[in-house]
Amino acid sequence: MEDDERAAVSFPFDRMTVQRFRETFPRAHWSDRRKAWLVPGKTAWRRIDRWMAREESRVDPYADAKGRDAFEFEPILSPYLGVDRQGFRIKTPYSRKLVEEIRQVPFARWDGDNKVWRVPFASYENLVDRWQVIETEAQRCEPEERRKRAEARKGTDQERTSRLRAAERKRRRIPLPADDLPPPDRPIATTAYGIIVVADVTGELVEREEIADLYPGIADDHVWGSWRMPSLDELVQTWPSRTEPGNDERRRGWWLPTLDELRVARRTARARERRATHQAPA
């Protein structure tokens, strides 16, 4: 989480809270799509959690007492939820979906010392609204459930397709519409492989019958192109598209990436280059 380039945070709206937030995070901006504030920076989560901890002391004591009473009257009974004098503790297996869901509960914050999520009593109603999704995802992420799903996939068409996809990715090739090729040596977004750079177009025609399971949307003439992962420098220098890709662009399989897509790719590239530096021989 701490390596994220942006962190999303939500909290109950009131003018003074927003003012304090903007003073602490002057580079933050509001996202209508995510209904949350977006804070840039690799340490955004840590800074947000410290701010959340301070803000908890400002929570209306009546709201806190109301949430505590609501829990006592109709408690959430779950092995993933505990309670102490500070409020609620949530401890679950990790998944990105869980993190995103818990972060939508107002004033939820990560307690790194105790490896739990902290939620104040005042946010109980919001926690109740999201708890079914949180608990269902937590159960799905238990190691035993992961093993069961892996066993169930063995010998199935799903496993066969998964193996084919993995093998196809290693070939670093992608079918491209013969009459609508992407710009060469420029990062583009694709349905199949995320943001890549098309290094070469071979001109070899794609036999649709052979790859129908992997690329079901192909209808017109396509040719094979070879691709590589873009470098961080290329991603930083790429000018983002100002519009979201339309249906036609998604059907053809590639489009110019948006700023949100580039941010995710830059974050991944930064982590990849950092790993490569650490693994390089001295």
Side-chain angles (χ1 to χ4, degrees), residues 102-114:
I102 295 172
R103 283 285 183 188
Q104 296 305 307
V105 178
F107 295 111
R109 62 181 179 85
W110 176 248
D111 179 351
D113 292 336
N114 296 293

Side-chain angles (χ1 to χ4, degrees), residues 200-218:
D200 184 38
V201 177
T202 68
E204 178 188 357
L205 285 175
V206 173
E207 298 293 337
R208 291 196 294 270
E209 295 77 10
E210 296 180 5
I211 60 166
D213 291 342
L214 300 178
Y215 306 99
I218 290 182

Side-chain angles (χ1 to χ4, degrees), residues 226-237:
S226 61
W227 62 270
R228 61 175 175 81
M229 298 300 296
S231 68
L232 176 59
D233 188 56
E234 287 176 314
L235 291 167
V236 169
Q237 294 185 33

Side-chain angles (χ1 to χ4, degrees), residues 56 64 81-84 86-90 102-103 105-110 116-128 131 134:
E56 279 186 32
D64 215 44
L81 184 71
V83 63
D84 57 25
Q86 300 179 48
F88 302 106
R89 304 185 313 273
I90 303 174
I102 295 172
R103 283 285 183 188
V105 178
F107 295 111
R109 62 181 179 85
W110 176 248
V116 297
W117 290 94
R118 293 281 185 182
V119 176
F121 288 114
S123 298
Y124 183 62
E125 289 186 8
N126 302 90
L127 183 62
V128 170
W131 189 254
I134 292 171

